[in-house]
Amino acid sequence: MITWLSIPSILHVARSRHLYDDVGHFRKQHDHGIPRLGGVAIFVSFTITTLLFSIIDKALPVSYLLIACIILFTMGLKDDLSGVNSSTKFFIQFIVAAILVLLGDIRITSMCGVFGIFQLPFIPSAIFSILLIMLIINSFNLIDGIDGLAATTGIIVNLSFAILFMYIKQYELAAVGLAMTGAVIGFLRYNITPAKIFMGDTGALLIGLVSAVMAIKFIGVSRLTGSHLPTITFAPALTTAILIGPIFDTLRVFILRIFSGKSPFEADRNHTHHRILGLGLNHLQTTLCLSFINLLSIAIVFIFSSLSNSFLIILIFSMSLMANWIITFCLRSKERENIALRNFFA
């Protein structure tokens, strides 16, 4: 409700001050200026709701989470208004991740037997956790390229974790996941095609940060045992399935850019959502298609939960590779058809 009620005022201020998206950039999908300050409403809504409804216990250091959110919000807002160079972005993200890992002790302490790895010593655990947080933060920023995609993915991810936390009786963590889910639902009302506002880096980075914290905490607390605490033995695989959309797309474009001799941080139009748009689908259809794949991945992990985490993770990434191959095949078929048509009329 806070997000939903705040955005009309943000739209008014953005239009009166001409705070529009850069429509001239080659990656933009719109031909008219649209404000990109929706992340402000998401941040305010999430912060207020978290402070109001968080259960005070040791499951999550809310103070460190909110400090990290405020730092990332400040950097994201500056980027949305005037721009921030990539090195500064990554430095701030590193600081935020270090605060969560080193001060908040939000880190992966065990791989739960994935690929034969169990308990992690502190230094490898801290390094891996910082890199993982930075990866997830950036992955949400990178998928924010069409109407509704980052918001819908953020809802699926945080609502999934919230439901799972409620199942294993971790109610404070569930409250944080629900706070982010509600904040993004209020924003989606104005971001679904045709979009009236974008979340900008402010919103995308914040959703990525909270999603990363939810993922790490879920892997950790799902292993807690007790007579009144349900356990989820396939938590690493389930976490992978929940986050597979943004993570697979980010890893894919980074690898392709490196093999092409380009910087992995150089912007292009080779993201999965750009490729699906190239098949002729619109923004809403593309968002629904990618959301379906995300939900299907989660369902498959539940269906085959008796299998090992390692096998399930390989299965999820194999599914993503297969979906990517199908998109590539369809794009090449369409390109051949277009060439044949041009030759025919020539």
Side-chain angles (χ1 to χ4, degrees):
M1 287 296 294
I2 294 171
T3 309
W4 182 60
L5 294 172
S6 299
I7 287 181
S9 296
I10 294 174
L11 285 170
H12 174 73
V13 172
R15 287 166 180 162
S16 64
R17 300 292 181 179
H18 302 287
L19 304 174
Y20 295 126
D21 194 27
D22 180 14
V23 296
H25 195 279
F26 75 95
R27 294 175 68 239
K28 301 303 178 182
Q29 297 291 322
H30 301 81
D31 57 3
H32 59 284
I34 297 177
R36 60 197 309 255
L37 296 175
V40 174
I42 294 174
F43 169 78
V44 171
S45 173
F46 171 74
T47 303
I48 292 175
T49 310
T50 300
L51 290 173
L52 281 175
F53 295 102
S54 286
I55 304 167
I56 305 302
D57 60 28
K58 296 182 180 180
L60 179 69
V62 174
S63 58
Y64 290 118
L65 174 61
L66 292 180
I67 288 170
C69 289
I70 291 169
I71 294 173
L72 209 57
F73 167 78
T74 305
M75 189 269 290
L77 184 60
K78 183 180 185 300
D79 188 34
D80 289 334
L81 293 175
S82 60
V84 176
N85 63 60
S86 58
S87 59
T88 302
K89 282 185 182 181
F90 283 102
F91 176 72
I92 296 298
Q93 290 171 15
F94 174 79
I95 295 298
V96 164
I99 288 173
L100 293 173
V101 172
L102 301 179
L103 300 181
D105 199 33
I106 300 172
R107 57 189 177 89
I108 301 288
T109 58
S110 173
M111 294 292 289
C112 307
V114 175
F115 304 123
I117 303 173
F118 288 90
Q119 206 69 21
L120 292 174
F122 178 79
I123 293 179
S125 167
I127 293 173
F128 176 65
S129 300
I130 288 173
L131 293 176
L132 181 63
I133 290 172
M134 294 179 67
L135 171 65
I136 296 174
I137 288 174
N138 281 286
S139 69
F140 274 87
N141 195 27
L142 291 175
I143 65 169
D144 184 29
I146 61 174
D147 297 346
L149 179 57
T152 304
T153 304
I155 291 169
I156 292 173
V157 169
N158 286 278
L159 183 58
S160 296
F161 282 128
I163 293 171
L164 291 167
F165 282 130
M166 285 188 282
Y167 172 72
I168 58 177
K169 303 183 186 305
Q170 297 290 328
Y171 299 113
E172 181 189 19
L173 293 166
V176 174
L178 288 173
M180 178 53 71
T181 301
V184 180
I185 288 174
F187 165 80
L188 187 61
R189 159 68 178 79
Y190 298 91
N191 184 240
I192 205 71
T193 303
K196 297 181 178 65
I197 192 170
F198 299 146
M199 67 172 63
D201 280 19
T202 307
L205 296 175
L206 181 64
I207 294 173
L209 175 67
V210 175
S211 299
V213 171
M214 294 290 96
I216 292 174
K217 294 301 293 184
F218 176 65
I219 292 175
V221 301
S222 63
R223 297 183 296 109
L224 297 177
T225 57
S227 57
H228 64 291
L229 292 176
T231 58
I232 301 178
T233 58
F234 53 98
L238 186 54
T239 301
T240 302
I242 291 172
L243 291 166
I244 190 62
I247 286 181
F248 177 80
D249 182 62
T250 300
L251 293 176
R252 176 186 159 275
V253 295
F254 276 18
I255 291 171
L256 288 177
R257 289 169 187 172
I258 292 172
F259 275 100
S260 300
K262 301 177 182 177
S263 166
F265 309 110
E266 181 181 337
D268 58 30
R269 287 178 52 84
N270 196 29
H271 290 281
T272 304
H273 53 269
H274 290 135
R275 287 155 51 81
I276 295 178
L277 288 175
L279 295 175
L281 276 67
N282 59 33
H283 286 217
L284 179 59
Q285 292 168 336
T286 301
T287 296
L288 292 175
C289 178
L290 292 172
S291 298
F292 172 77
I293 294 173
N294 196 342
L295 292 171
L296 179 63
S297 300
I298 297 172
I300 285 176
V301 170
F302 275 106
I303 293 170
F304 298 101
S305 59
S306 59
L307 301 176
S308 69
N309 279 293
S310 301
F311 181 85
L312 289 172
I313 290 173
I314 293 173
L315 177 62
I316 294 303
F317 273 97
S318 298
M319 283 179 52
S320 299
L321 287 169
M322 179 62 70
N324 180 70
W325 180 84
I326 292 172
I327 294 171
T328 301
F329 176 80
C330 293
L331 283 170
R332 289 177 178 175
S333 297
K334 184 177 180 181
E335 184 179 354
R336 286 194 294 267
E337 290 176 3
N338 290 337
I339 292 173
L341 285 172
R342 283 197 299 268
N343 292 336
F344 175 79
F345 286 108

